[in-house]
Amino acid sequence: MTAADPLARLVSQARETRAVVVGGGIGGLVAALELAKVGMPVTLLEASDRVGGLVRSADVAGIRLDVGAESFATRGGTVRALVDELGLGGDVVPPAAHGAWVAGLPGGAAAPLPKGGVLGIPDNPWDPEVRRIIGWGGAWRAYRDRLLPPLTIGHDRSLGHLVRKRLGGAVLDRLVAPVTSGVYSARPDDIDVDLAAPGLNAALTRTGSLTGAVAELRGERQVAPGGAVAGIEGGIARLVDALVARLEDLGVEVRAEAPVIGIAPAEDGRWGVRLAPPADADAEEALTADIVIVAVPEAEARRLLSPVVPALDPEPGPAPVVEIVTLVLDAPALDDHPRGNGVLTVPHSSRAKALTHVTAKWEWVRRAAGEGVHVVRVSFGAQGEDPATADLGDEDATALALTEAAALLGVPLEANRLRGAHRERYVQSLPGSALGRAAEVAAARGAVRAIPGLGATGAWLSGTGLAQVVPDAVAEADRVRRAALWGHGEPQV
Ligand SMILES: Cc1cc2nc3c(=O)[nH]c(=O)nc-3n(C[C@H](O)[C@H](O)[C@H](O)COP(=O)(O)OP(=O)(O)OC[C@H]3O[C@@H](n4cnc5c(N)ncnc54)[C@H](O)[C@@H]3O)c2cc1C
């Protein structure tokens, strides 16, 4: 290759294009990887003392466990492709097929959540598993769906409104709300059907009923949207370790305890990135970069970007808070996984939002825990309400989690069964399928894209979940990288 060679020029241009990625969650780590792959010098700045963001692990009673995200949706294949690229493909494992339960039914009953629904909407209200949850009255009410005219003026965007109107309150409260609350931390009324279940409204018009539409979608897709997930033996947090190792191989500087406090234009069209001074120093540090990708949660992203992206609204949307209490218990009574892989709850029927029976769901955790020892994760906080644990100290939060776990699992669990506990608080992004969210995100993306050398990614833009965050980070890094190397034209190679 000679200097005049366009390929050689590209190689050196990439090497001279300095990039900073702000935020070390999965979005930031993946964006840094995409930039570093083409030879760009990259620095990743993470505010806290560890990278990974909402993907976290902790040692609880001697077992290394995921205490944040614990699986990934297999749809789209992008997370799997990343896992393979990082050499973890051989360790991908499916969850056990025990299914989930719903608790908080009339009389305090619990029952297996019927398989075959879309967002909890059943395809047949007379199915005994469905009728057991919604009762005879609920089944007759849902059956009216078949008799109602299919066409409304326009169509319903609100999932809650659509389900209430066509199938009634029992289906909404006992089947759909537990799923949206457990999966999206949102009320059905706030979910946009067209984004959460694409094609459902069109199928409703075609088939003449909502249950018919669910049956048609299920037939086409085989699984409910978002239904298929996988885990990694040893924990999803291994993905973070593997990403960091790959970044370091590629020469990326990964800096923890490096909170960014400002971004401002620098000389020659470059960007200055200001870091908070360390506790033992007064002077701020500043880095200069040709491109900056911001991969932090919404409130912080809007605060950092709005001074340099005039069209970006500085006001963030609401951010649901959830708390997860992980319990390790001596409880042979749980050996038979009495509530399958876990329990979703009818909203307001208990103080917890959901429970995962981790040792039932993941075989590798069962092996790591040993005979008669069980791991249970209790989640608090849903639908915009503060978690019931919010004002409690760790000991009281653990005690509440234990009481809720016993009630949801239908098994007595005394305090002396507890081997260890871990509590973690998370601020989540609104789901991408929240009503009105698509327009807000499009406006934010449009504003950032108008500014050369800047990019933004992360769950607040892509929607929550690794299957959303990973492809978005890849695409955003690619967009900014291309613009830096080729302007907006086509590659000349
Ligand atoms: C309890 C829980 C369970 C979940 N379970 C699953 C699951 O099983 N499967 C799934 O696919 N998804 C799951 N999710 C969602 C998924 O974890 C997230 O959507 C995803 O990890 C978000 O990644 P991110 O990079 O966008 O943001 P984050 O993980 O929030 O990362 C942002 C990073 O930016 C850093 N930061 C903030 N401000 C600054 C600053 N000024 N300077 C530098 N750094 C800064 C933060 O410290 C953080 O590390 C779960 C989420 C939660 C809360």
Side-chain angles (χ1 to χ4, degrees), residues 329-331 333-334 402 405-407 409-415 417:
L329 299 156
D330 259 319
L334 295 179
L402 192 63
L409 290 163
V411 165
L413 296 170
E414 300 83 14
R417 297 272 167 193

Side-chain angles (χ1 to χ4, degrees), residues 23 25-27 45-47 53-54 69-71 260 296 300 426 458-459 465-466:
I26 291 291
L45 302 170
E46 162 57 40
L54 304 184
E70 47 117 47
S71 63
V260 171
V296 300
E300 190 66 356
Y426 297 93
L466 304 184

Side-chain angles (χ1 to χ4, degrees), residues 477-492:
D478 183 47
R479 181 189 71 78
V480 179
R481 177 176 75 180
R482 274 168 183 259
L485 296 179
W486 293 309
H488 296 288
E490 284 302 307
Q492 300 296 313

Side-chain angles (χ1 to χ4, degrees), residues 21-29 45-56 67-73 79 229-230 236 255 258-262 274-275 295-297 300-301 303-304 320 322-324 353 361-362 377 379 424-429 457-469:
V21 174
V22 184
I26 291 291
L29 292 166
L45 302 170
E46 162 57 40
S48 73
D49 60 358
R50 34 161 294 285
V51 293
L54 304 184
V55 180
R56 300 182 193 169
V67 293
E70 47 117 47
S71 63
F72 62 87
V79 183
V229 298
I236 287 287
R255 288 179 59 178
V260 171
I261 53 170
R274 280 167 48 224
L275 295 173
V296 300
E300 190 66 356
R303 196 183 67 71
L304 288 175
V322 294
E323 286 205 17
I324 307 283
K353 153 178 104 146
K361 185 171 180 182
W362 303 110
R377 268 163 70 121
S379 324
E424 200 79 45
R425 178 178 186 276
Y426 297 93
V427 179
Q428 278 189 302
S429 298
T457 190
W460 71 282
L461 291 163
S462 66
T464 52
L466 304 184
Q468 314 277 6
V469 171

